PDB file of all heavy atoms in Angstrom:
ATOM      1  N   HIS A 105      73.358  44.808  48.536  1.00 89.00           N
ATOM      2  CA  HIS A 105      72.808  45.203  49.830  1.00 89.00           C
ATOM      3  C   HIS A 105      73.608  44.606  50.987  1.00 89.00           C
ATOM      4  O   HIS A 105      73.723  45.225  52.045  1.00 89.00           O
ATOM      5  CB  HIS A 105      71.333  44.820  49.912  1.00 89.00           C
ATOM      6  CG  HIS A 105      70.491  45.542  48.905  1.00 89.00           C
ATOM      7  ND1 HIS A 105      70.193  46.880  49.024  1.00 89.00           N
ATOM      8  CD2 HIS A 105      69.916  45.126  47.756  1.00 89.00           C
ATOM      9  CE1 HIS A 105      69.458  47.250  48.000  1.00 89.00           C
ATOM     10  NE2 HIS A 105      69.270  46.205  47.211  1.00 89.00           N
ATOM     11  N   GLY A 106      74.165  43.429  50.807  1.00 87.00           N
ATOM     12  CA  GLY A 106      75.013  42.839  51.834  1.00 87.00           C
ATOM     13  C   GLY A 106      76.273  43.660  52.062  1.00 87.00           C
ATOM     14  O   GLY A 106      76.676  43.904  53.204  1.00 87.00           O
ATOM     15  N   HIS A 107      76.908  44.103  50.973  1.00 88.00           N
ATOM     16  CA  HIS A 107      78.112  44.943  51.089  1.00 88.00           C
ATOM     17  C   HIS A 107      77.780  46.276  51.760  1.00 88.00           C
ATOM     18  O   HIS A 107      78.498  46.720  52.649  1.00 88.00           O
ATOM     19  CB  HIS A 107      78.716  45.184  49.706  1.00 88.00           C
ATOM     20  CG  HIS A 107      79.872  46.118  49.719  1.00 88.00           C
ATOM     21  ND1 HIS A 107      81.150  45.699  49.981  1.00 88.00           N
ATOM     22  CD2 HIS A 107      79.950  47.464  49.543  1.00 88.00           C
ATOM     23  CE1 HIS A 107      81.973  46.739  49.945  1.00 88.00           C
ATOM     24  NE2 HIS A 107      81.253  47.821  49.680  1.00 88.00           N
ATOM     25  N   TRP A 108      76.695  46.913  51.316  1.00 88.00           N
ATOM     26  CA  TRP A 108      76.319  48.202  51.899  1.00 88.00           C
ATOM     27  C   TRP A 108      76.006  48.056  53.388  1.00 88.00           C
ATOM     28  O   TRP A 108      76.419  48.880  54.198  1.00 88.00           O
ATOM     29  CB  TRP A 108      75.130  48.785  51.178  1.00 88.00           C
ATOM     30  CG  TRP A 108      75.441  49.342  49.825  1.00 88.00           C
ATOM     31  CD1 TRP A 108      76.668  49.654  49.316  1.00 88.00           C
ATOM     32  CD2 TRP A 108      74.504  49.649  48.801  1.00 88.00           C
ATOM     33  NE1 TRP A 108      76.554  50.136  48.043  1.00 88.00           N
ATOM     34  CE2 TRP A 108      75.229  50.150  47.696  1.00 88.00           C
ATOM     35  CE3 TRP A 108      73.127  49.563  48.694  1.00 88.00           C
ATOM     36  CZ2 TRP A 108      74.621  50.559  46.528  1.00 88.00           C
ATOM     37  CZ3 TRP A 108      72.520  49.966  47.531  1.00 88.00           C
ATOM     38  CH2 TRP A 108      73.261  50.451  46.454  1.00 88.00           C
ATOM     39  N   CYS A 109      75.295  47.022  53.745  1.00 86.00           N
ATOM     40  CA  CYS A 109      74.937  46.804  55.145  1.00 86.00           C
ATOM     41  C   CYS A 109      76.186  46.570  55.984  1.00 86.00           C
ATOM     42  O   CYS A 109      76.325  47.120  57.084  1.00 86.00           O
ATOM     43  CB  CYS A 109      73.974  45.623  55.261  1.00 86.00           C
ATOM     44  SG  CYS A 109      73.428  45.298  56.936  1.00 86.00           S
ATOM     45  N   TYR A 110      77.100  45.769  55.482  1.00 87.00           N
ATOM     46  CA  TYR A 110      78.341  45.484  56.198  1.00 87.00           C
ATOM     47  C   TYR A 110      79.155  46.767  56.409  1.00 87.00           C
ATOM     48  O   TYR A 110      79.642  47.037  57.510  1.00 87.00           O
ATOM     49  CB  TYR A 110      79.154  44.459  55.414  1.00 87.00           C
ATOM     50  CG  TYR A 110      80.349  43.931  56.147  1.00 87.00           C
ATOM     51  CD1 TYR A 110      80.218  42.896  57.058  1.00 87.00           C
ATOM     52  CD2 TYR A 110      81.608  44.463  55.946  1.00 87.00           C
ATOM     53  CE1 TYR A 110      81.304  42.404  57.737  1.00 87.00           C
ATOM     54  CE2 TYR A 110      82.704  43.987  56.625  1.00 87.00           C
ATOM     55  CZ  TYR A 110      82.551  42.950  57.520  1.00 87.00           C
ATOM     56  OH  TYR A 110      83.637  42.475  58.199  1.00 87.00           O
ATOM     57  N   ALA A 111      79.277  47.575  55.368  1.00 87.00           N
ATOM     58  CA  ALA A 111      80.047  48.824  55.469  1.00 87.00           C
ATOM     59  C   ALA A 111      79.376  49.798  56.433  1.00 87.00           C
ATOM     60  O   ALA A 111      80.053  50.447  57.245  1.00 87.00           O
ATOM     61  CB  ALA A 111      80.195  49.445  54.080  1.00 87.00           C
ATOM     62  N   ARG A 112      78.053  49.897  56.371  1.00 87.00           N
ATOM     63  CA  ARG A 112      77.339  50.811  57.269  1.00 87.00           C
ATOM     64  C   ARG A 112      77.471  50.380  58.721  1.00 87.00           C
ATOM     65  O   ARG A 112      77.692  51.215  59.608  1.00 87.00           O
ATOM     66  CB  ARG A 112      75.862  50.861  56.887  1.00 87.00           C
ATOM     67  CG  ARG A 112      75.587  51.588  55.603  1.00 87.00           C
ATOM     68  CD  ARG A 112      74.140  51.469  55.216  1.00 87.00           C
ATOM     69  NE  ARG A 112      73.898  52.031  53.909  1.00 87.00           N
ATOM     70  CZ  ARG A 112      72.931  51.653  53.107  1.00 87.00           C
ATOM     71  NH1 ARG A 112      72.094  50.715  53.483  1.00 87.00           N
ATOM     72  NH2 ARG A 112      72.777  52.222  51.930  1.00 87.00           N
ATOM     73  N   LEU A 113      77.332  49.092  58.971  1.00 86.00           N
ATOM     74  CA  LEU A 113      77.459  48.612  60.345  1.00 86.00           C
ATOM     75  C   LEU A 113      78.858  48.842  60.895  1.00 86.00           C
ATOM     76  O   LEU A 113      79.022  49.218  62.062  1.00 86.00           O
ATOM     77  CB  LEU A 113      77.096  47.137  60.427  1.00 86.00           C
ATOM     78  CG  LEU A 113      75.607  46.814  60.319  1.00 86.00           C
ATOM     79  CD1 LEU A 113      75.402  45.312  60.279  1.00 86.00           C
ATOM     80  CD2 LEU A 113      74.847  47.411  61.466  1.00 86.00           C
ATOM     81  N   ALA A 114      79.873  48.630  60.079  1.00 87.00           N
ATOM     82  CA  ALA A 114      81.248  48.852  60.532  1.00 87.00           C
ATOM     83  C   ALA A 114      81.473  50.316  60.878  1.00 87.00           C
ATOM     84  O   ALA A 114      82.078  50.631  61.909  1.00 87.00           O
ATOM     85  CB  ALA A 114      82.227  48.399  59.452  1.00 87.00           C
ATOM     86  N   LYS A 115      80.974  51.223  60.050  1.00 87.00           N
ATOM     87  CA  LYS A 115      81.131  52.645  60.339  1.00 87.00           C
ATOM     88  C   LYS A 115      80.338  53.062  61.570  1.00 87.00           C
ATOM     89  O   LYS A 115      80.788  53.896  62.354  1.00 87.00           O
ATOM     90  CB  LYS A 115      80.700  53.475  59.128  1.00 87.00           C
ATOM     91  CG  LYS A 115      81.666  53.398  57.979  1.00 87.00           C
ATOM     92  CD  LYS A 115      81.172  54.191  56.802  1.00 87.00           C
ATOM     93  CE  LYS A 115      82.107  54.020  55.618  1.00 87.00           C
ATOM     94  NZ  LYS A 115      81.606  54.680  54.427  1.00 87.00           N
ATOM     95  N   MET A 116      79.168  52.483  61.748  1.00 87.00           N
ATOM     96  CA  MET A 116      78.349  52.868  62.896  1.00 87.00           C
ATOM     97  C   MET A 116      78.937  52.357  64.205  1.00 87.00           C
ATOM     98  O   MET A 116      78.825  53.024  65.231  1.00 87.00           O
ATOM     99  CB  MET A 116      76.914  52.366  62.726  1.00 87.00           C
ATOM    100  CG  MET A 116      76.142  53.070  61.640  1.00 87.00           C
ATOM    101  SD  MET A 116      76.314  54.865  61.569  1.00 87.00           S
ATOM    102  CE  MET A 116      75.866  55.382  63.178  1.00 87.00           C
ATOM    103  N   VAL A 117      79.579  51.219  64.204  1.00 89.00           N
ATOM    104  CA  VAL A 117      80.237  50.734  65.416  1.00 89.00           C
ATOM    105  C   VAL A 117      81.349  51.698  65.810  1.00 89.00           C
ATOM    106  O   VAL A 117      81.480  52.073  66.989  1.00 89.00           O
ATOM    107  CB  VAL A 117      80.775  49.300  65.207  1.00 89.00           C
ATOM    108  CG1 VAL A 117      81.743  48.912  66.299  1.00 89.00           C
ATOM    109  CG2 VAL A 117      79.635  48.312  65.149  1.00 89.00           C
ATOM    110  N   ILE A 118      82.126  52.141  64.850  1.00 89.00           N
ATOM    111  CA  ILE A 118      83.188  53.111  65.129  1.00 89.00           C
ATOM    112  C   ILE A 118      82.584  54.419  65.637  1.00 89.00           C
ATOM    113  O   ILE A 118      83.091  55.034  66.578  1.00 89.00           O
ATOM    114  CB  ILE A 118      84.046  53.336  63.867  1.00 89.00           C
ATOM    115  CG1 ILE A 118      84.822  52.062  63.542  1.00 89.00           C
ATOM    116  CG2 ILE A 118      84.996  54.509  64.051  1.00 89.00           C
ATOM    117  CD1 ILE A 118      85.497  52.088  62.203  1.00 89.00           C
ATOM    118  N   TYR A 119      81.482  54.849  65.035  1.00 87.00           N
ATOM    119  CA  TYR A 119      80.827  56.085  65.461  1.00 87.00           C
ATOM    120  C   TYR A 119      80.344  55.982  66.906  1.00 87.00           C
ATOM    121  O   TYR A 119      80.538  56.910  67.703  1.00 87.00           O
ATOM    122  CB  TYR A 119      79.658  56.409  64.533  1.00 87.00           C
ATOM    123  CG  TYR A 119      78.778  57.518  65.065  1.00 87.00           C
ATOM    124  CD1 TYR A 119      79.213  58.839  65.023  1.00 87.00           C
ATOM    125  CD2 TYR A 119      77.545  57.250  65.618  1.00 87.00           C
ATOM    126  CE1 TYR A 119      78.424  59.856  65.519  1.00 87.00           C
ATOM    127  CE2 TYR A 119      76.754  58.258  66.123  1.00 87.00           C
ATOM    128  CZ  TYR A 119      77.197  59.558  66.066  1.00 87.00           C
ATOM    129  OH  TYR A 119      76.420  60.562  66.565  1.00 87.00           O
ATOM    130  N   PHE A 120      79.728  54.858  67.276  1.00 86.00           N
ATOM    131  CA  PHE A 120      79.215  54.730  68.639  1.00 86.00           C
ATOM    132  C   PHE A 120      80.347  54.645  69.658  1.00 86.00           C
ATOM    133  O   PHE A 120      80.224  55.169  70.766  1.00 86.00           O
ATOM    134  CB  PHE A 120      78.279  53.535  68.754  1.00 86.00           C
ATOM    135  CG  PHE A 120      76.928  53.798  68.160  1.00 86.00           C
ATOM    136  CD1 PHE A 120      76.469  53.045  67.089  1.00 86.00           C
ATOM    137  CD2 PHE A 120      76.133  54.807  68.648  1.00 86.00           C
ATOM    138  CE1 PHE A 120      75.238  53.298  66.538  1.00 86.00           C
ATOM    139  CE2 PHE A 120      74.899  55.075  68.098  1.00 86.00           C
ATOM    140  CZ  PHE A 120      74.446  54.316  67.039  1.00 86.00           C
ATOM    141  N   PHE A 121      81.454  54.017  69.302  1.00 91.00           N
ATOM    142  CA  PHE A 121      82.610  54.038  70.195  1.00 91.00           C
ATOM    143  C   PHE A 121      83.111  55.475  70.379  1.00 91.00           C
ATOM    144  O   PHE A 121      83.396  55.910  71.495  1.00 91.00           O
ATOM    145  CB  PHE A 121      83.745  53.153  69.665  1.00 91.00           C
ATOM    146  CG  PHE A 121      83.615  51.721  70.045  1.00 91.00           C
ATOM    147  CD1 PHE A 121      83.539  50.743  69.074  1.00 91.00           C
ATOM    148  CD2 PHE A 121      83.578  51.342  71.374  1.00 91.00           C
ATOM    149  CE1 PHE A 121      83.420  49.413  69.425  1.00 91.00           C
ATOM    150  CE2 PHE A 121      83.463  50.016  71.736  1.00 91.00           C
ATOM    151  CZ  PHE A 121      83.384  49.049  70.759  1.00 91.00           C
ATOM    152  N   TYR A 122      83.214  56.215  69.291  1.00 88.00           N
ATOM    153  CA  TYR A 122      83.674  57.598  69.357  1.00 88.00           C
ATOM    154  C   TYR A 122      82.747  58.438  70.225  1.00 88.00           C
ATOM    155  O   TYR A 122      83.199  59.196  71.088  1.00 88.00           O
ATOM    156  CB  TYR A 122      83.768  58.171  67.940  1.00 88.00           C
ATOM    157  CG  TYR A 122      84.024  59.654  67.888  1.00 88.00           C
ATOM    158  CD1 TYR A 122      85.285  60.165  68.187  1.00 88.00           C
ATOM    159  CD2 TYR A 122      83.013  60.539  67.559  1.00 88.00           C
ATOM    160  CE1 TYR A 122      85.527  61.528  68.147  1.00 88.00           C
ATOM    161  CE2 TYR A 122      83.242  61.903  67.519  1.00 88.00           C
ATOM    162  CZ  TYR A 122      84.485  62.390  67.822  1.00 88.00           C
ATOM    163  OH  TYR A 122      84.726  63.727  67.781  1.00 88.00           O
ATOM    164  N   LYS A 123      81.448  58.314  70.022  1.00 85.00           N
ATOM    165  CA  LYS A 123      80.459  59.085  70.776  1.00 85.00           C
ATOM    166  C   LYS A 123      80.567  58.777  72.265  1.00 85.00           C
ATOM    167  O   LYS A 123      80.592  59.693  73.103  1.00 85.00           O
ATOM    168  CB  LYS A 123      79.057  58.759  70.277  1.00 85.00           C
ATOM    169  CG  LYS A 123      77.957  59.431  71.062  1.00 85.00           C
ATOM    170  CD  LYS A 123      76.600  58.940  70.641  1.00 85.00           C
ATOM    171  CE  LYS A 123      76.344  57.611  71.247  1.00 85.00           C
ATOM    172  NZ  LYS A 123      75.179  57.464  72.050  1.00 85.00           N
ATOM    173  N   ASN A 124      80.659  57.517  72.611  1.00 85.00           N
ATOM    174  CA  ASN A 124      80.711  57.139  74.019  1.00 85.00           C
ATOM    175  C   ASN A 124      82.046  57.504  74.660  1.00 85.00           C
ATOM    176  O   ASN A 124      82.084  57.886  75.832  1.00 85.00           O
ATOM    177  CB  ASN A 124      80.409  55.659  74.182  1.00 85.00           C
ATOM    178  CG  ASN A 124      78.957  55.362  73.914  1.00 85.00           C
ATOM    179  OD1 ASN A 124      78.085  56.161  74.242  1.00 85.00           O
ATOM    180  ND2 ASN A 124      78.674  54.233  73.307  1.00 85.00           N
ATOM    181  N   VAL A 125      83.134  57.397  73.920  1.00 90.00           N
ATOM    182  CA  VAL A 125      84.434  57.803  74.470  1.00 90.00           C
ATOM    183  C   VAL A 125      84.440  59.303  74.747  1.00 90.00           C
ATOM    184  O   VAL A 125      84.934  59.745  75.788  1.00 90.00           O
ATOM    185  CB  VAL A 125      85.583  57.399  73.514  1.00 90.00           C
ATOM    186  CG1 VAL A 125      86.863  58.124  73.839  1.00 90.00           C
ATOM    187  CG2 VAL A 125      85.797  55.908  73.573  1.00 90.00           C
ATOM    188  N   CYS A 126      83.887  60.082  73.838  1.00 84.00           N
ATOM    189  CA  CYS A 126      83.816  61.534  74.067  1.00 84.00           C
ATOM    190  C   CYS A 126      82.977  61.860  75.293  1.00 84.00           C
ATOM    191  O   CYS A 126      83.354  62.686  76.124  1.00 84.00           O
ATOM    192  CB  CYS A 126      83.232  62.238  72.843  1.00 84.00           C
ATOM    193  SG  CYS A 126      84.314  62.254  71.433  1.00 84.00           S
ATOM    194  N   TYR A 127      81.859  61.210  75.431  1.00 82.00           N
ATOM    195  CA  TYR A 127      80.963  61.485  76.554  1.00 82.00           C
ATOM    196  C   TYR A 127      81.588  61.050  77.878  1.00 82.00           C
ATOM    197  O   TYR A 127      81.559  61.788  78.866  1.00 82.00           O
ATOM    198  CB  TYR A 127      79.628  60.781  76.321  1.00 82.00           C
ATOM    199  CG  TYR A 127      78.584  61.152  77.333  1.00 82.00           C
ATOM    200  CD1 TYR A 127      78.040  62.425  77.353  1.00 82.00           C
ATOM    201  CD2 TYR A 127      78.156  60.240  78.283  1.00 82.00           C
ATOM    202  CE1 TYR A 127      77.093  62.788  78.279  1.00 82.00           C
ATOM    203  CE2 TYR A 127      77.201  60.587  79.214  1.00 82.00           C
ATOM    204  CZ  TYR A 127      76.683  61.859  79.211  1.00 82.00           C
ATOM    205  OH  TYR A 127      75.750  62.215  80.136  1.00 82.00           O
ATOM    206  N   VAL A 128      82.186  59.874  77.923  1.00 85.00           N
ATOM    207  CA  VAL A 128      82.812  59.388  79.150  1.00 85.00           C
ATOM    208  C   VAL A 128      84.037  60.224  79.491  1.00 85.00           C
ATOM    209  O   VAL A 128      84.307  60.499  80.665  1.00 85.00           O
ATOM    210  CB  VAL A 128      83.161  57.891  79.018  1.00 85.00           C
ATOM    211  CG1 VAL A 128      84.042  57.425  80.160  1.00 85.00           C
ATOM    212  CG2 VAL A 128      81.892  57.066  78.973  1.00 85.00           C
ATOM    213  N   ASN A 129      84.788  60.650  78.501  1.00 89.00           N
ATOM    214  CA  ASN A 129      85.945  61.512  78.731  1.00 89.00           C
ATOM    215  C   ASN A 129      85.512  62.828  79.375  1.00 89.00           C
ATOM    216  O   ASN A 129      86.168  63.329  80.291  1.00 89.00           O
ATOM    217  CB  ASN A 129      86.672  61.763  77.410  1.00 89.00           C
ATOM    218  CG  ASN A 129      88.053  62.295  77.612  1.00 89.00           C
ATOM    219  OD1 ASN A 129      88.612  62.234  78.702  1.00 89.00           O
ATOM    220  ND2 ASN A 129      88.613  62.841  76.548  1.00 89.00           N
ATOM    221  N   LEU A 130      84.408  63.371  78.915  1.00 84.00           N
ATOM    222  CA  LEU A 130      83.863  64.593  79.496  1.00 84.00           C
ATOM    223  C   LEU A 130      83.487  64.374  80.955  1.00 84.00           C
ATOM    224  O   LEU A 130      83.809  65.193  81.825  1.00 84.00           O
ATOM    225  CB  LEU A 130      82.653  65.042  78.679  1.00 84.00           C
ATOM    226  CG  LEU A 130      82.037  66.389  79.007  1.00 84.00           C
ATOM    227  CD1 LEU A 130      83.029  67.495  78.728  1.00 84.00           C
ATOM    228  CD2 LEU A 130      80.778  66.576  78.190  1.00 84.00           C
ATOM    229  N   LEU A 131      82.832  63.270  81.253  1.00 83.00           N
ATOM    230  CA  LEU A 131      82.463  62.959  82.638  1.00 83.00           C
ATOM    231  C   LEU A 131      83.696  62.716  83.509  1.00 83.00           C
ATOM    232  O   LEU A 131      83.720  63.095  84.686  1.00 83.00           O
ATOM    233  CB  LEU A 131      81.554  61.735  82.675  1.00 83.00           C
ATOM    234  CG  LEU A 131      80.160  61.907  82.098  1.00 83.00           C
ATOM    235  CD1 LEU A 131      79.425  60.577  82.115  1.00 83.00           C
ATOM    236  CD2 LEU A 131      79.388  62.946  82.859  1.00 83.00           C
ATOM    237  N   PHE A 132      84.704  62.093  82.966  1.00 87.00           N
ATOM    238  CA  PHE A 132      85.924  61.815  83.714  1.00 87.00           C
ATOM    239  C   PHE A 132      86.594  63.114  84.168  1.00 87.00           C
ATOM    240  O   PHE A 132      86.959  63.267  85.339  1.00 87.00           O
ATOM    241  CB  PHE A 132      86.880  60.996  82.838  1.00 87.00           C
ATOM    242  CG  PHE A 132      88.224  60.760  83.461  1.00 87.00           C
ATOM    243  CD1 PHE A 132      88.376  59.839  84.493  1.00 87.00           C
ATOM    244  CD2 PHE A 132      89.340  61.453  83.020  1.00 87.00           C
ATOM    245  CE1 PHE A 132      89.616  59.617  85.064  1.00 87.00           C
ATOM    246  CE2 PHE A 132      90.578  61.238  83.585  1.00 87.00           C
ATOM    247  CZ  PHE A 132      90.718  60.317  84.611  1.00 87.00           C
ATOM    248  N   TRP A 133      86.755  64.058  83.254  1.00 89.00           N
ATOM    249  CA  TRP A 133      87.413  65.314  83.621  1.00 89.00           C
ATOM    250  C   TRP A 133      86.533  66.164  84.525  1.00 89.00           C
ATOM    251  O   TRP A 133      87.040  66.946  85.337  1.00 89.00           O
ATOM    252  CB  TRP A 133      87.826  66.087  82.366  1.00 89.00           C
ATOM    253  CG  TRP A 133      88.948  65.402  81.663  1.00 89.00           C
ATOM    254  CD1 TRP A 133      88.889  64.769  80.462  1.00 89.00           C
ATOM    255  CD2 TRP A 133      90.276  65.234  82.142  1.00 89.00           C
ATOM    256  NE1 TRP A 133      90.100  64.213  80.159  1.00 89.00           N
ATOM    257  CE2 TRP A 133      90.984  64.491  81.182  1.00 89.00           C
ATOM    258  CE3 TRP A 133      90.950  65.628  83.291  1.00 89.00           C
ATOM    259  CZ2 TRP A 133      92.317  64.147  81.318  1.00 89.00           C
ATOM    260  CZ3 TRP A 133      92.289  65.283  83.427  1.00 89.00           C
ATOM    261  CH2 TRP A 133      92.951  64.550  82.456  1.00 89.00           C
ATOM    262  N   TYR A 134      85.234  66.018  84.425  1.00 88.00           N
ATOM    263  CA  TYR A 134      84.340  66.738  85.333  1.00 88.00           C
ATOM    264  C   TYR A 134      84.515  66.248  86.771  1.00 88.00           C
ATOM    265  O   TYR A 134      84.373  67.041  87.711  1.00 88.00           O
ATOM    266  CB  TYR A 134      82.879  66.566  84.889  1.00 88.00           C
ATOM    267  CG  TYR A 134      81.911  67.251  85.817  1.00 88.00           C
ATOM    268  CD1 TYR A 134      81.800  68.635  85.823  1.00 88.00           C
ATOM    269  CD2 TYR A 134      81.115  66.518  86.679  1.00 88.00           C
ATOM    270  CE1 TYR A 134      80.919  69.276  86.668  1.00 88.00           C
ATOM    271  CE2 TYR A 134      80.235  67.146  87.531  1.00 88.00           C
ATOM    272  CZ  TYR A 134      80.146  68.517  87.528  1.00 88.00           C
ATOM    273  OH  TYR A 134      79.286  69.145  88.376  1.00 88.00           O
ATOM    274  N   GLN A 135      84.826  64.984  86.953  1.00 86.00           N
ATOM    275  CA  GLN A 135      85.018  64.461  88.308  1.00 86.00           C
ATOM    276  C   GLN A 135      86.223  65.102  88.984  1.00 86.00           C
ATOM    277  O   GLN A 135      86.235  65.271  90.205  1.00 86.00           O
ATOM    278  CB  GLN A 135      85.153  62.938  88.284  1.00 86.00           C
ATOM    279  CG  GLN A 135      83.862  62.220  87.954  1.00 86.00           C
ATOM    280  CD  GLN A 135      82.728  62.611  88.890  1.00 86.00           C
ATOM    281  OE1 GLN A 135      82.890  62.657  90.097  1.00 86.00           O
ATOM    282  NE2 GLN A 135      81.589  62.927  88.286  1.00 86.00           N
ATOM    283  N   PHE A 136      87.246  65.468  88.239  1.00 87.00           N
ATOM    284  CA  PHE A 136      88.369  66.218  88.819  1.00 87.00           C
ATOM    285  C   PHE A 136      87.905  67.602  89.280  1.00 87.00           C
ATOM    286  O   PHE A 136      88.327  68.104  90.315  1.00 87.00           O
ATOM    287  CB  PHE A 136      89.506  66.378  87.812  1.00 87.00           C
ATOM    288  CG  PHE A 136      90.329  65.142  87.643  1.00 87.00           C
ATOM    289  CD1 PHE A 136      90.250  64.404  86.472  1.00 87.00           C
ATOM    290  CD2 PHE A 136      91.172  64.705  88.647  1.00 87.00           C
ATOM    291  CE1 PHE A 136      91.016  63.270  86.305  1.00 87.00           C
ATOM    292  CE2 PHE A 136      91.940  63.577  88.498  1.00 87.00           C
ATOM    293  CZ  PHE A 136      91.859  62.842  87.322  1.00 87.00           C
ATOM    294  N   PHE A 137      87.021  68.208  88.493  1.00 86.00           N
ATOM    295  CA  PHE A 137      86.520  69.543  88.820  1.00 86.00           C
ATOM    296  C   PHE A 137      85.680  69.532  90.091  1.00 86.00           C
ATOM    297  O   PHE A 137      85.771  70.439  90.910  1.00 86.00           O
ATOM    298  CB  PHE A 137      85.702  70.080  87.635  1.00 86.00           C
ATOM    299  CG  PHE A 137      85.056  71.390  87.894  1.00 86.00           C
ATOM    300  CD1 PHE A 137      85.817  72.558  87.921  1.00 86.00           C
ATOM    301  CD2 PHE A 137      83.689  71.488  88.113  1.00 86.00           C
ATOM    302  CE1 PHE A 137      85.222  73.770  88.166  1.00 86.00           C
ATOM    303  CE2 PHE A 137      83.094  72.694  88.356  1.00 86.00           C
ATOM    304  CZ  PHE A 137      83.862  73.850  88.383  1.00 86.00           C
ATOM    305  N   CYS A 138      84.848  68.511  90.266  1.00 86.00           N
ATOM    306  CA  CYS A 138      83.958  68.475  91.435  1.00 86.00           C
ATOM    307  C   CYS A 138      84.536  67.664  92.592  1.00 86.00           C
ATOM    308  O   CYS A 138      83.843  67.400  93.571  1.00 86.00           O
ATOM    309  CB  CYS A 138      82.584  67.947  91.051  1.00 86.00           C
ATOM    310  SG  CYS A 138      82.554  66.211  90.642  1.00 86.00           S
ATOM    311  N   GLY A 139      85.791  67.274  92.505  1.00 86.00           N
ATOM    312  CA  GLY A 139      86.446  66.585  93.615  1.00 86.00           C
ATOM    313  C   GLY A 139      85.977  65.159  93.831  1.00 86.00           C
ATOM    314  O   GLY A 139      85.949  64.689  94.967  1.00 86.00           O
ATOM    315  N   PHE A 140      85.601  64.469  92.777  1.00 83.00           N
ATOM    316  CA  PHE A 140      85.160  63.072  92.832  1.00 83.00           C
ATOM    317  C   PHE A 140      84.002  62.870  93.814  1.00 83.00           C
ATOM    318  O   PHE A 140      83.946  61.888  94.533  1.00 83.00           O
ATOM    319  CB  PHE A 140      86.319  62.126  93.174  1.00 83.00           C
ATOM    320  CG  PHE A 140      87.375  62.091  92.131  1.00 83.00           C
ATOM    321  CD1 PHE A 140      88.505  62.894  92.230  1.00 83.00           C
ATOM    322  CD2 PHE A 140      87.222  61.284  91.015  1.00 83.00           C
ATOM    323  CE1 PHE A 140      89.470  62.883  91.243  1.00 83.00           C
ATOM    324  CE2 PHE A 140      88.191  61.258  90.035  1.00 83.00           C
ATOM    325  CZ  PHE A 140      89.317  62.057  90.149  1.00 83.00           C
TER     326      PHE A 140
END
């Protein structure tokens, strides 16, 4: 259970970084569209 928990947490940290980078990237390019 320690190994499984460690592996799951590592994958979930990467997933949350990916999710937030995608969302912030979308907002960043939208600011160019609406003129900041």
